[in-house]
Amino acid sequence: PPPSPSPAPAVPPEPPPPLPPSPPSAPTCSGEADMTLTEDASAGDVVIYVQCYAAGLGPGSIIYVEGVAYEVLRLGAPSRQQRRHDSSAITLVTPLTANVVSGTSVVVAAPPPSPPPPRAGPFSAGTGFSTGTGFSTGTGFSTRTEVKKDPHLHFAHGGTADFRGRPGQLYSFFSAPDLALNVKTEEAVFRLRKGRLLVNGSFLTEAHLVARVGTCPEELRPKGGIGPLPAGAARKCVGEKRKWANISFWANRLNEHNTGWNFVNGTCGGHEFHIGIDSTKTCEELHVHALFSSATFTLRNWTVTVRGNHVYELVSGPSHRIDVSFDAKDQAAARDLPHGIVGQSFSSPLPRIGKKDRYPWSGTFTTAAMAEGAIDGEAALYEVASAYSTAFAFSRFEAHPWSNSPEGAVWGGSADLGAAASTVEV
């Protein structure tokens, strides 16, 4: 029989096609950078593009665009849409309700507050004990706010608004028992969008803090310094301090390097002082620390931070501005129930969404928003007569902190009224 044919040599399999290059990972917004749109979007769009992702942003997050809340479906665009290599996509659950322009701020709402742990006592957190002012103490309170740039207000619980203010006018931004902060707004003309847009707007240029400080006499303090005050001591120790602290931060004292040696000055019990780069001042329980171009003011569980900065692409007006933030620790917000244009957002568990200026892409524009819809009453009700005045329609400076104790007062801020972390920016 003929020999069997030799088997054909094995053909090596073809190598798999190379994988497409992975798109660059989306950057995370660093420092105090805002998340803003990088291109215009139209009503009905479900995908928007931003220059970076805010920390903590993800599926299920709630974001605010022009005051309207949207839920995030995913980070990135649907696969059928081409990815922008210089932008980060956000896909929304529901489409945009209106046209928005490039440069519009996108704000991430604060997460809902965690309920406080149950505790014994007549006013447990689960009862929703009411303070009598319309602010329930059982819902949790935000602990940070911030105001930035020209000026954009970022309230507690995700709310936002813009605030122009009247040129040269002082406003109460924060008012709590024995602590207040007033700011001045000044008109400025500057350019945005690489010079394509000329804006007539405003900036904060001065911050004036007033506090009533001084320790309670030893014989009136509770044992260990914590707990209810002895009978009859409340009115001598809560809201009736013995010394005044009046302190100011001046943007116009910052030099071309955005710093200085005397951009903070004031009085402690009538004694004058001034501080600048990397210096401190203590006035009873109030602590002041100046850094290169910022200063922090800490009193009890409140911290006010003022940051100086240049006004960029300035045409006319002040060359420096300030940004302001307020931080609360523990139960400060629930205990003090502050007010003021920014402070009131600490005292309400819901977002305060106010009027915002819609900047065009080019041309000329004059800002007009005065936080309408986000504040109680109107802006004129928050005007104060002088830098250290505490009197205005909603002042809380002379009020007593709320307490959970039957005696009606607590020492050292130990009242557990429920609080949760969040941020307010100015």
Side-chain angles (χ1 to χ4, degrees), residues 306-324:
V306 183
R307 302 177 183 87
N309 208 341
H310 298 281
V311 175
Y312 297 101
E313 297 194 62
L314 178 67
V315 175
S316 64
S319 60
H320 286 81
R321 62 175 174 86
I322 59 172
D323 300 335
V324 184

Side-chain angles (χ1 to χ4, degrees), residues 135-425:
F135 303 127
S136 170
T137 62
T139 58
F141 289 78
S142 172
T143 59
R144 193 168 188 266
T145 67
E146 197 166 16
V147 182
K148 298 197 299 185
K149 300 181 181 178
D150 52 323
H152 305 305
L153 315 183
H154 297 263
F155 298 114
H157 308 292
T160 60
D162 290 343
F163 186 80
R164 177 183 175 90
R166 293 198 299 119
Q169 180 60 50
L170 291 160
Y171 292 92
S172 172
F173 264 34
F174 184 89
S175 177
D178 295 325
L179 177 64
L181 186 91
N182 301 327
V183 300
K184 177 182 279 190
T185 54
E186 288 194 49
E187 185 178 50
V189 179
F190 54 96
R191 297 186 182 277
L192 292 177
R193 312 198 197 289
K194 298 182 179 179
R196 288 186 288 262
L197 179 63
L198 182 67
V199 179
N200 182 313
S202 63
F203 293 99
L204 305 184
T205 58
E206 299 174 14
H208 305 284
L209 181 140
V210 54
R212 199 156 40 191
V213 297
T215 56
C216 188
E218 184 70 31
E219 65 272 13
L220 296 179
R221 301 182 190 181
K223 186 177 182 180
I226 299 176
L229 292 171
R235 297 197 60 81
K236 296 182 180 179
C237 295
V238 179
E240 295 186 9
K241 303 295 185 180
R242 299 176 296 171
K243 183 181 293 185
W244 288 91
N246 298 327
I247 309 174
S248 297
F249 187 112
W250 308 87
N252 64 3
R253 294 187 180 183
L254 297 170
N255 58 28
E256 67 273 17
H257 304 294
N258 198 41
T259 189
W261 297 105
N262 64 344
F263 54 85
V264 174
N265 74 333
T267 59
C268 173
H271 300 285
E272 296 184 1
F273 69 90
H274 67 267
I275 58 176
I277 301 175
D278 196 23
S279 53
T280 61
K281 173 67 179 180
T282 298
C283 181
E284 300 289 345
E285 66 267 40
L286 173 63
H287 303 281
V288 185
H289 185 195
L291 297 173
F292 187 80
S293 56
S294 65
T296 58
F297 307 87
T298 303
L299 179 64
R300 299 186 301 273
N301 287 334
W302 288 105
T303 299
V304 180
T305 302
V306 183
R307 302 177 183 87
N309 208 341
H310 298 281
V311 175
Y312 297 101
E313 297 194 62
L314 178 67
V315 175
S316 64
S319 60
H320 286 81
R321 62 175 174 86
I322 59 172
D323 300 335
V324 184
S325 64
F326 305 86
D327 293 85
K329 292 172 56 180
D330 300 328
Q331 310 299 322
R335 183 187 66 243
D336 289 346
L337 296 177
H339 214 285
I341 288 175
V342 174
Q344 63 193 279
S345 65
F346 283 107
S347 304
S348 171
L350 300 176
R352 289 180 175 262
I353 307 300
K355 184 177 179 180
K356 300 186 71 175
D357 293 305
R358 299 175 66 95
Y359 291 76
W361 180 250
S362 61
T364 59
F365 179 71
T366 299
T367 61
M370 297 283 274
E372 295 95 331
I375 59 176
D376 296 336
E378 59 185 15
L381 296 176
Y382 298 84
E383 295 182 0
V384 292
S386 61
Y388 303 121
S389 173
T390 63
F392 71 104
F394 306 102
S395 177
R396 289 276 297 156
F397 191 84
E398 299 295 339
H400 289 287
W402 291 103
S403 168
N404 67 318
S405 64
E407 292 84 355
V410 294
W411 175 262
S414 61
D416 182 10
L417 300 181
S422 63
T423 298
V424 180
E425 301 182 345

